[in-house]
Amino acid sequence: MAAVAQDTAVSTGRVTRVFIYLVLLLFALFYLLPLYVMGINSVKPLSEITGGNMMALPQVWTLAPWASAWSTAQIGVEPTGLKPYFLNSILMVVPAVAISSIVGALNGYILTKWRFRGDTWVFGLMLFSCFIPFQIVLIPMAVVLGKLGLAGSVPGLILVHVVYGIGFTTLYFRNYYAAFPTELIRAAQIDGAGFFRIFWRILLPVSGPIAVVSVIWQFTNIWNDFLFGASFGGTSQPMTVALNNLVQSSTGVKEYNVHFAGAILAALPTLFVYIVAGRYFVRGLMAGSVKG
């Protein structure tokens, strides 16, 4: 009887597992459907799309829409393609991610290992900044950028994203460093190590997991941002603003294949980051959640 019961339980478990996998597969297919539509239509001639065959595989495969989206598509009044705006986004994202992550790490280090009177209030205010809507800071940020002479430039966009991202990076590093033994910091001080030496030689080498979280979060938010880029970009607009202009500035026949190719080009960097480092994201978030 025990063997029969065990076989029944194993059989039931397999049926349940197969059902769960089928449901997950259904959701995955539903989720990937837009990507499939964009992908196959980005390598089709426009005539096949306008003929009503958006779901079918291409009869004629072509990369001309990709070449047009990258280098010759009409963006606003200039047929420059997305290439210069892609470079603007790279020049904006890399420094903004690096600076906000480093400053967040220093803030987390100070708020956990070099505590001072009122540090809880300081952290609370920085945490509060994470919940401030983008629209509220548009006018104050425009005034600051104007006074600094950074309006309509890539350095101005870097400053905007660094300021807005410090609250998040501080939260991540503060929670991560809170689980780090303070005794090691005290021992390093006794041995004569100073503020930056302790940070550089002790804390920073073990900050890999949370640094990945900070980089992925900041990279995704900054690359996908539209509002700040449209408001403060001026002639140095990022990729997302250019993609919107690509769709809106098309005249006559809508080149849907070029639009699909441009959308995929805009999404490729964040997709690459998640493929390379995505598995470390949850691991990094959980690393500082339990002390001990």
Side-chain angles (χ1 to χ4, degrees), residues 22-273:
L22 288 176
V23 172
L24 292 176
L25 179 62
L26 180 62
F27 278 108
L29 292 175
F30 180 77
Y31 183 79
L32 293 174
L33 183 60
L35 181 60
Y36 167 78
V37 172
M38 288 193 299
I40 63 170
N41 286 284
S42 67
V43 291
K44 284 182 182 179
L46 185 60
S47 58
E48 290 189 32
I49 300 177
T50 55
N53 296 321
M54 293 189 68
M55 299 296 295
L57 291 174
Q59 298 177 2
V60 178
W61 297 76
T62 176
L63 293 178
W66 288 76
S68 176
W70 179 250
S71 59
T72 61
Q74 190 79 21
I75 308 293
V77 296
E78 297 292 335
T80 60
L82 295 174
K83 180 180 178 179
Y85 303 95
F86 185 90
L87 297 178
N88 285 342
S89 289
I90 293 293
L91 294 174
M92 172 188 68
V93 169
V94 174
V97 170
I99 295 172
S100 60
S101 296
I102 293 174
V103 174
L106 286 171
N107 288 343
Y109 171 45
I110 294 171
L111 292 172
T112 55
K113 307 306 177 187
W114 295 78
R115 303 192 62 176
F116 53 91
R117 179 177 296 180
D119 63 329
T120 303
W121 284 96
V122 172
F123 176 65
L125 290 174
M126 299 193 73
L127 185 62
F128 177 74
S129 68
C130 298
F131 303 98
I132 298 177
F134 284 10
Q135 295 83 352
I136 293 180
V137 301
L138 287 181
I139 295 179
M141 196 66 72
V143 173
V144 172
L145 292 178
K147 291 184 179 296
L148 295 177
L150 297 177
S153 65
V154 172
L157 290 175
I158 293 174
L159 176 62
V160 170
H161 288 294
V162 167
V163 171
Y164 204 85
I166 285 177
F168 292 99
T169 58
T170 299
L171 171 65
Y172 297 147
F173 282 97
R174 187 263 181 193
N175 289 346
Y176 186 81
Y177 290 154
F180 190 85
T182 305
E183 291 77 11
L184 292 179
I185 307 299
R186 300 289 180 258
Q189 288 178 307
I190 294 174
D191 290 338
F195 176 86
F196 286 105
R197 187 175 181 84
I198 294 174
F199 176 72
W200 182 259
R201 298 296 296 272
I202 297 178
L203 281 179
L204 203 58
V206 300
S207 302
I210 202 63
V212 171
V213 172
S214 177
V215 168
I216 292 178
W217 177 268
Q218 283 294 92
F219 186 94
T220 303
N221 282 346
I222 296 173
W223 185 273
N224 293 334
D225 171 69
F226 176 81
L227 183 60
F228 287 156
S231 301
F232 308 126
T235 57
S236 303
Q237 294 176 339
M239 188 75 163
T240 50
V241 179
L243 180 62
N244 176 74
N245 293 339
L246 169 65
V247 176
Q248 298 297 331
S249 63
S250 298
T251 57
V253 178
K254 291 287 186 179
E255 296 181 310
Y256 297 109
N257 50 356
V258 177
H259 298 169
F260 286 133
I264 297 176
L265 284 172
L268 281 179
T270 51
L271 181 62
F272 174 77
V273 168

